[in-house]
């Protein structure tokens, strides 16, 4: 087993270009979504002003050394403006631009996105079987997801598959991982995230990846453990024979809650993400949201509409200190 230590996620800026999404990732048979909507109000926030967002990236790059941008959603926009945005990010010195997507409408854009400078794709697939996919994601687009994977494979564009685990919906994993290994896919498996007001659904459907390791044990040739200083997350990578990998994270809330704000938060015992769990997240309306469970703690980057909050204030904020809920 190999162990690697990393400082944290500060090199990654997660840009949310829109708050809209046609998928409804939720608990099967119930009209309740477990999706955290990236800490935004779903379908409520206007699309990002990409000229302003480019200035925001430059601000973070100058003050925090950002070199990796992740374009997220909820379901990221796909248009000529996004292509130009990626080109300008690359010209600005961003070394890696990733796209997180459910894959809808993505295939016709892939070649142009790659030509514009896209580095890789992260595809959300919550099941690897057609009926289960539709039950969980609310849209029957399983064939499209496979088409995205095949298209990326053909053009040698790296692709990662993200999946949230639900009890009773995991028997398809062995066959999929054997298929994924042949395509050298990186597969990340996550426990479903507890959200306030969803206690009954969480208790019924939650299953930890640690209960399921027997599903891929026979495929593993070596293991790597990544330990991140902030948010105190431990990721375990199971490298598969023949290619590809399965990546999971160890849910250790007490370890993850290393910031003063987290230590005083009433949700800390149920929170599995931790402060800045996905890096620095900037919403389409120019707010930093380091915690998806507490959108009230989001920080407007342009409080007066024109001047960015000072680097010293932002540094303190990102450290999880001296917070006041938005609007106070």
């Amino acid at each position: 087993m190999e162990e690697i230590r990393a400082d944290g996620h500060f090199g990654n800026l997660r840009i949310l270009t829109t708050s809209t999404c046609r998928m409804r990732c939720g608990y099967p048979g119930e009209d309740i979504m477990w999706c955290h909507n990236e800490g935004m109000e779903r379908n409520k926030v206007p699309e990002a002003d990409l000229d302003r967002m480019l200035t925001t990236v430059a601000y973070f790059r100058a003050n925090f050394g950002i070199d990796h941008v992740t374009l997220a959603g909820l379901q990221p926009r796909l248009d000529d403006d996004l292509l130009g945005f990626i080109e300008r990010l690359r010209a600005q010195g961003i070394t890696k631009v990733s796209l997180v997507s459910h894959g809808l409408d993505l295939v016709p854009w892939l070649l142009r996105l790659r030509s514009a400078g896209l580095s890789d794709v992260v595809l959300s697939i919550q099941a690897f079987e057609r009926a289960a996919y539709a039950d969980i994601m609310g849209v029957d687009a399983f064939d499209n997801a496979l088409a995205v994977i095949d298209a990326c494979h053909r053009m040698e564009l790296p692709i990662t598959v993200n999946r949230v685990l639900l009890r009773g919906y995991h028997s398809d994993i062995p066959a999929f991982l054997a298929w994924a290994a042949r395509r050298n896919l990186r597969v990340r498996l996550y426990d479903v995230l507890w959200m306030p007001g969803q206690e009954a659904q969480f208790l019924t459907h939650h299953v930890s990846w640690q209960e399921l390791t027997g599903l891929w044990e026979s495929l593993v040739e070596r293991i790597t453990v990544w330990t991140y200083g902030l948010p105190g997350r431990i990721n375990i990578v199971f490298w598969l024979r023949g290619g590809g990998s399965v990546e999971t994270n160890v849910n250790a809330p007490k370890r993850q809650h290393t910031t003063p704000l987290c230590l005083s938060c009433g949700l800390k015992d149920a929170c599995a993400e931790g402060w800045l769990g996905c890096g620095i997240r900037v919403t389409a309306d120019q707010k930093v949201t380091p915690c998806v469970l507490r959108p009230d703690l989001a920080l407007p980057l342009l409080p007066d509409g024109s001047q960015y909050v000072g680097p010293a204030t932002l540094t303190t904020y990102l450290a999880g200190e001296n917070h006041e809920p938005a609007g106070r």
Side-chain angles (χ1 to χ4, degrees), residues 229-252:
L230 187 70
R233 174 170 291 172
I234 301 173
N235 283 19
I236 300 178
V237 182
F238 301 87
W239 299 96
L240 306 179
R241 294 188 183 89
S245 63
V246 178
E247 184 172 336
T248 63
N249 61 279
V250 176
N251 288 329

Side-chain angles (χ1 to χ4, degrees), residues 196-218:
Q198 298 182 3
E199 286 80 5
Q201 291 77 18
F202 178 83
L203 289 172
T204 298
H205 294 280
H206 175 266
V207 59
S208 173
W209 64 266
Q210 295 174 72
E211 297 180 48
L212 306 177
T213 54
L215 296 178
W216 60 83
E217 181 181 7
S218 63

